[in-house]
Amino acid sequence: MAFLATDAHLIAYQDSGETYLPALFMAHPLGMSRDVWDAVCDQLHGHYRCVRWDLPGHGSSGAAAATLTAELLARDALALADTLAVESFQFIGTSIGGVIGQSLCQIAPQRLEQVWLTNTGAVIGTKAGWTERAENVRRLGLAAMAETIVPRWFSPSYTQQNPAVLQGWQVQLSRSDAESYAKLCELLAEVDNRGKLGGYTEQVALIAGGDDVSTPIEALAGLQTEFATASLSVLAGVGHVPSIETPELLVEHIQTKAGRETVGQTGISYEQGLLQRKRILGTAHVEKASKNATTLDSPFQQFITRNAWGELWGDPTLTVQQRSMITTGILAALGRDGELGLHLRTAKRLGINEDQLRQVLMHVSIYAGVPAANHAFALAKDNGWGTTIL
């Protein structure tokens, strides 16, 4: 856990830290915490750099000092991205987290790559309802209201099978700052994004829970009509927080994101491939290769950027570490020294450890021959692998 102090409040956040992976920013629902994403992040390990944070007065974040707006919360996400040197990112948000995503689509569309919005709406509930809840929270406190609020988050079947979940999240809610919660209720009372999202032209993936009473399917269907291009999936039998009830289904949606559904027919753009190539090899290497390109090999550079890096390395079926080990083994077996040296250095950048590299080259010795492996071991040592035995 780390902290970022903005002009408005103190943000507690968690960053998995893999700078070579696409960043996925994750915004949680009202009354909960960044912990709702734990199971999702576990399953996305090796595929995404997961960045999640606590809303004001929630989890470990500081309390809200003044009135909150959706744009202010969206700028919290942008401040985090700037702090972490993330130029563009993918985003997933649930409930009020989805409202933050809608605001990002309006104020910083150029920073977004792929967007998933779950269990949310252009309008959530009613102004009167949120105003009343804010008043009740200030009067009664969250501990007194937790028993009423929390059951609305989950489907009946899920709570029947997991009764302790209700108790656990009631404890979590009661520990949140009541005034911050009330301010977020007042924020939701003012949210109305109808007629404001049509300018966002990229694909948006919307996800609804079939048993969600807080933001029913109709709310997501209404939101779908507000975007220029949006898909809507319904998770049958799931309540308001799919990241807790069915993280594996949510991961499946993320891994088969709309942006890659038609890759076989349409291919990957040069820009997408270039972004992935820079993440894996490093910006300096890619810019040098591009600068050195001539009229002879410039089309080739574009070809490998789209196909090798965009389509192959960008496919989420394997982690980048798995692809690195496969590539290193093939290059070692074929004796392609120039590319092998590059990928030996890249393997270290991607977090491959010495034991893993040794096993890759041992496989080369068995299946491609000892001389090939011996040469690859020598080249690896030339590229900084191994420590001298004293």
Side-chain angles (χ1 to χ4, degrees):
M1 180 173 62
F3 296 92
L4 172 64
T6 70
D7 292 338
H9 39 251
L10 181 69
I11 304 170
Y13 69 94
Q14 193 169 349
D15 171 22
S16 62
E18 307 93 332
T19 56
Y20 49 83
L21 293 177
L24 176 60
F25 279 53
M26 316 169 88
H28 69 78
L30 177 66
M32 306 186 86
S33 72
R34 69 182 187 277
D35 295 340
V36 301
W37 300 111
D38 284 355
V40 173
C41 291
D42 288 344
Q43 294 181 47
L44 290 177
H45 178 70
H47 295 284
Y48 288 91
R49 176 185 183 180
C50 293
V51 179
R52 62 259 204 209
W53 66 100
D54 292 321
L55 291 173
H58 291 56
S60 299
S61 283
T67 300
L68 298 173
T69 65
E71 181 175 336
L72 178 63
L73 297 184
R75 294 198 180 281
D76 284 348
L78 295 174
L80 270 177
D82 292 342
T83 297
L84 299 174
V86 175
E87 182 177 346
S88 63
F89 53 89
Q90 308 192 34
F91 179 91
I92 185 168
T94 297
S95 192
I96 194 172
V99 171
I100 294 171
Q102 293 171 56
S103 186
L104 285 169
C105 288
Q106 295 174 63
I107 67 171
Q110 74 283 0
R111 303 287 296 268
L112 299 173
E113 295 174 18
Q114 173 68 35
V115 175
W116 296 268
L117 304 178
T118 96
N119 308 79
T120 189
V123 176
I124 299 178
T126 66
K127 184 170 185 176
W130 287 116
T131 300
E132 181 182 6
R133 186 183 293 191
E135 293 171 352
N136 288 337
V137 166
R138 289 187 173 110
R139 181 168 55 87
L140 302 173
L142 283 170
M145 296 186 65
E147 193 171 339
T148 302
I149 294 173
V150 172
R152 294 174 56 83
W153 296 346
F154 306 105
S155 66
S157 60
Y158 183 76
T159 54
Q160 191 172 24
Q161 296 173 38
N162 303 275
V165 166
L166 287 179
Q167 293 176 295
W169 282 106
Q170 285 169 19
V171 170
Q172 172 68 40
L173 179 58
S174 67
R175 290 174 177 170
S176 300
D177 178 63
E179 180 59 26
S180 298
Y181 185 99
K183 283 182 167 62
L184 289 167
C185 290
E186 292 168 338
L187 178 161
L188 288 171
E190 298 300 324
V191 167
D192 186 348
N193 283 319
R194 290 174 294 189
K196 300 177 181 178
L197 299 167
Y200 186 76
T201 57
E202 300 300 319
Q203 173 75 26
V204 176
L206 305 177
I207 301 172
D211 286 351
D212 185 357
V213 297
S214 298
T215 50
I217 297 170
E218 293 76 19
L220 275 296
L223 181 58
Q224 184 181 21
T225 66
E226 298 298 328
F227 283 104
T229 309
S231 62
L232 173 58
S233 303
V234 178
L235 305 182
V238 176
H240 190 57
V241 195
S243 59
I244 291 180
E245 284 197 35
T246 179
E248 66 285 346
L249 276 181
L250 200 55
V251 167
E252 184 179 328
H253 275 77
I254 293 171
Q255 292 290 65
T256 56
K257 62 183 181 182
R260 292 196 66 90
E261 285 178 349
T262 60
V263 166
Q265 293 78 38
T266 63
I268 290 288
S269 71
Y270 173 78
E271 289 72 21
Q272 289 175 288
L274 185 63
L275 183 62
Q276 181 72 357
R277 190 179 182 186
K278 287 181 177 179
R279 283 178 179 141
I280 302 301
L281 299 180
T283 300
H285 172 84
V286 176
E287 289 182 348
K288 181 179 178 182
S290 299
K291 185 178 180 180
N292 291 338
T294 68
T295 54
L296 175 65
D297 66 339
S298 180
F300 172 71
Q301 289 292 331
Q302 294 178 27
F303 171 78
I304 62 172
T305 298
R306 290 194 309 271
N307 292 279
W309 297 106
E311 293 208 18
L312 191 61
W313 281 82
D315 187 285
T317 308
L318 299 176
T319 67
V320 293
Q321 289 88 350
Q322 290 169 329
R323 292 193 185 279
S324 176
M325 288 188 283
I326 291 170
T327 304
T328 300
I330 293 171
L331 292 173
L334 294 174
R336 302 291 192 256
D337 286 11
E339 285 293 303
L340 178 56
L342 169 64
H343 280 274
L344 284 166
R345 296 188 295 275
T346 299
K348 186 168 287 190
R349 169 184 168 84
L350 298 181
I352 303 299
N353 62 42
E354 187 175 302
D355 291 338
Q356 291 170 320
L357 177 63
R358 183 186 304 110
Q359 285 302 308
V360 169
L361 300 185
M362 295 290 274
H363 270 258
V364 171
S365 73
I366 294 297
Y367 293 101
V370 170
N374 186 52
H375 182 69
F377 271 114
L379 194 59
K381 289 191 286 185
D382 288 343
N383 280 276
W385 287 92
T387 302
T388 302
I389 300 174
L390 300 178

